[in-house]
């Protein structure tokens, strides 16, 4: 199997891996930006740490690294449009994305999205290059849980899908 064919098959296989949709944000001396990410994974609870993967070609990387902090906003099912904005699917400029209602500053002065299922602010402890991506190891220092019950938002087969709570799905 040729390398390009193997990469395409790998991408197709990963499209079958359901993943939570997050908007990862940062604000500080290096600027303010955010990106939609599904490559987010818990690492350990002692200390609370999360791994975030971002394409090495992303213009956001110098901002994330320059600020040294970020916030992972775990999106609610009704925040798909925010996911689309921060994925660059709507053509909306970065400043316009943050001018939408719902943004506030968290305990670490990072952009926190009201209505998210959870928002985890932390400091970037390590950045490692693995192939085409940068892997950020983030030590979480502030956690805000959504005040309202909500459903999840996942990305599966290259599309967004709501994940309903079992009791409501059966109704």
């Amino acid at each position: 199997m040729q390398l390009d064919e193997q990469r395409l098959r790998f991408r197709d296989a990963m499209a079958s891996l359901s993943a939570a949709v997050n908007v990862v944000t940062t604000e500080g001396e290096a600027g303010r930006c955010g990106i939609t990410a599904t490559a987010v994974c818990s690492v350990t609870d002692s200390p609370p740490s999360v791994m975030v993967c971002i394409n090495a070609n992303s213009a956001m990387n110098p901002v994330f690294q320059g600020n040294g902090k970020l916030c992972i906003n775990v999106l609610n099912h009704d925040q798909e449009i925010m996911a689309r904005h921060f994925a660059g699917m709507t053509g909306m400029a970065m400043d316009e994305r943050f001018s939408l209602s719902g943004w506030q500053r968290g305990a670490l002065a990072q952009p926190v999205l009201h209505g998210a299922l959870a928002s985890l602010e932390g400091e970037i402890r390590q950045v490692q290059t693995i192939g085409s991506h940068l892997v950020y190891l983030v030590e979480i220092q502030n956690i805000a849980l959504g005040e309202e019950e909500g459903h999840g938002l996942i990305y599966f087969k290259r599309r967004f899908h709501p994940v309903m709570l079992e009791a409501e799905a059966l109704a």
Side-chain angles (χ1 to χ4, degrees):
M1 185 179 312
Q2 292 185 353
L3 184 59
D4 285 342
E5 184 181 342
Q6 185 177 14
R7 286 177 58 203
L8 291 174
R9 287 177 60 82
F10 180 77
R11 288 180 182 180
D12 287 343
M14 291 300 98
S16 296
L17 182 64
S18 301
V21 180
N22 310 276
V23 172
V24 182
T25 58
T26 187
E27 186 169 352
E29 289 183 16
R32 180 176 63 181
C33 71
I35 191 168
T36 299
T38 56
V40 175
C41 179
S42 65
V43 175
T44 180
D45 65 358
S46 184
S49 301
V50 176
M51 178 181 70
V52 178
C53 302
I54 300 175
N55 191 299
N57 293 327
S58 173
M60 313 289 171
N61 286 308
V63 183
F64 281 110
Q65 291 176 34
N67 290 339
K69 297 177 189 171
L70 58 75
C71 181
I72 301 157
N73 295 282
V74 183
L75 297 190
N76 199 327
H77 76 286
D78 62 2
Q79 294 175 317
E80 178 181 335
I81 190 63
M82 196 66 77
R84 290 182 177 282
H85 291 321
F86 280 87
M89 299 170 128
T90 63
M92 183 178 277
M94 191 63 67
D95 285 344
E96 290 178 89
R97 298 172 196 179
F98 283 107
S99 69
L100 297 170
S101 66
W103 289 106
Q104 54 200 29
R105 283 186 176 213
L108 298 181
Q110 297 306 292
V112 171
L113 182 59
H114 179 73
L117 295 175
S119 296
L120 301 101
E121 290 179 278
E123 292 189 16
I124 299 168
R125 296 295 187 204
Q126 282 182 28
V127 181
Q128 195 167 32
T129 302
I130 300 179
S132 62
H133 281 65
L134 297 182
V135 178
Y136 291 81
L137 183 61
V138 182
E139 187 175 322
I140 303 302
Q141 296 171 333
N142 187 61
I143 301 168
L145 298 177
E147 297 170 9
E148 307 163 15
E149 285 200 27
H151 304 291
L153 181 65
I154 63 167
Y155 199 68
F156 175 69
K157 294 288 188 182
R158 297 181 176 91
R159 290 190 11 228
F160 294 102
H161 302 272
V163 176
M164 300 298 188
L165 296 172
E166 185 177 335
E168 292 183 36
L170 295 174

